[in-house]
Amino acid sequence: MLAGNEKKYVLDCLDTNWISSRGAYIEKFETAFAKFCGVKHAVSCTNGTTALHLALVALNVGPGDEVIVPTLTFVATANAVRYCGARPVFVDAEPRTWNMDPALVEAKITPRTKGIIVVHLYGHPVDMDRIMEIARRHGLFVLEDAAEAHGAVYKGQVVGSIGDVGTFSFFGNKVLSTGEGGMVVTNDEQLAQTVQVLKEQGMDQNRRYWYPVIGYNYRMTNIAAAIGLAQVEKAQWHIQRRLEIAAWYREQLEPIPGLMMQVEEEWARHVYQFFTVVLGQDIPVSREQIIAHLLEHGIEGRPVVYPMHTLPPYADPALDGEFPVAGMIASRGINLPTWAGLTRADARRVCGALLEAIGTATLFDPPSNSVAIDSTVGTS
Ligand SMILES: *Cc1c(COP(=O)(O)O)cnc(C)c1O
């Protein structure tokens, strides 16, 4: 949601002709975002997928390597591993936070394993102490895919700052957005420099048009960075809005038997990129029927993503049955409308329609106007 200086800063770009990937807002946004995450370095790029790709290339992930990845994630996490010629090795979710289960990670480590990507799903932090301990013991890197978790906190530390490197997305439905955009954050100066070089075609920073390595053009524009700066300035407002919306949903949905939600661990600050409900086995209505019912009331409820191990590029029949928790969440989960502009009345309408669909007594106002799932239309 655009609620601050976005327009002012974008107009400044237009008025001064600084619309491409040079300009003052790039560095301002990077500096502000690094401070927001509590890290030394932040390097902007075109989106959350290229942020993952840059980080993995900078960590020397290549053909023959394996990288441990949660199966319950957005497809970009797995694809970025494949872009490097490496193989993602999937791990099931745990039933409380729905994040990758740390207890299942060690069994997936082989001599080829290079690192672990954790995903702070929907904005709930992963139990990082357990992951870091395993990674250190086996000499693996830890990449935090924090695309859904801007400003989420694990035991006092902002996510993205805990592993060796963190990546963010600023797509339209994320906690903070630049339209399209991404960021790589790290305390490792060498890694930050490598990412900087890679995103600029691999050009030697001291010798123009000299390319010692193969790089990419993954540069963010000054206009996107201008929007990003305005978003970071209001980050705490964006997060507070989502916490308020989640509290409304919880107040109305937690008492309903058979509905499951992510548990907020006491060591975590969740930032709710999505508020999601999972239908228990005892709810007699199918997820598809519920989504259709919501839609009749002008409410977009989205199915949770398919787990990676079920998608054609990654499917492996040998692994069938290995991911029961992710399978259950993915097949019975619905993302409810979650964006910073949602009102209490919207939340009541969503809950009213949801409860009507599952056949629970309707204690709520009848749904009326349309409630969009986020500030964009037709997104993944
Ligand atoms: C959104 C998302 C990405 C990709 O970000 P884009 O900016 O859309 O490329 C990567 N990982 C996760 C977990 C995401 O939710």
Side-chain angles (χ1 to χ4, degrees), residues 110-234:
T110 75
R112 292 170 180 269
T113 309
K114 197 90 181 246
I116 303 171
I117 305 182
V118 295
V119 177
H120 305 291
L121 194 75
Y122 299 146
H124 191 298
V126 168
D127 190 350
M128 290 303 293
D129 283 350
R130 294 179 66 192
I131 298 292
M132 296 309 290
E133 190 274 321
I134 295 166
R136 294 293 170 252
R137 201 144 37 76
H138 292 272
L140 307 176
F141 70 74
V142 174
L143 189 171
E144 292 177 74
D145 180 350
E148 305 177 353
H150 315 66
V153 180
Y154 173 72
K155 297 186 181 174
Q157 269 183 288
V158 178
V159 305
S161 71
I162 303 163
D164 299 285
V165 60
T167 61
F168 289 85
S169 164
F170 301 105
F171 183 65
N173 65 7
K174 310 293 181 173
V175 178
L176 303 178
S177 179
T178 61
E180 295 274 5
M183 194 79 82
V184 179
V185 302
T186 183
N187 285 312
D188 180 336
E189 185 175 357
Q190 186 55 51
L191 195 86
Q193 260 179 27
T194 304
V195 168
Q196 182 69 41
V197 167
L198 287 170
K199 83 163 200 186
E200 300 231 40
Q201 307 282 18
M203 189 169 77
D204 188 320
Q205 300 287 285
N206 302 313
R207 192 170 168 196
R208 194 147 210 170
Y209 303 129
W210 181 252
Y211 304 95
V213 294
I214 291 176
Y216 312 90
N217 175 3
Y218 284 171
R219 293 184 301 260
M220 176 179 270
T221 66
N222 199 44
I223 292 178
I227 296 172
L229 178 64
Q231 292 269 297
V232 183
E233 287 172 351
K234 287 207 68 164

Side-chain angles (χ1 to χ4, degrees), residues 283-338:
I283 289 180
V285 194
S286 78
R287 179 193 37 202
E288 284 56 44
Q289 284 171 299
I290 291 177
I291 288 176
H293 183 87
L294 292 174
L295 204 58
E296 277 168 30
H297 291 286
I299 296 164
E300 188 189 359
R302 267 184 214 170
V304 164
V305 291
Y306 293 100
M308 296 305 102
H309 70 274
T310 66
L311 299 178
Y314 300 111
D316 179 352
L319 296 177
D320 276 356
E322 251 205 60
F323 310 95
V325 179
M328 188 270 295
I329 295 163
S331 62
R332 304 187 64 86
I334 305 175
N335 301 146
L336 298 181
T338 315

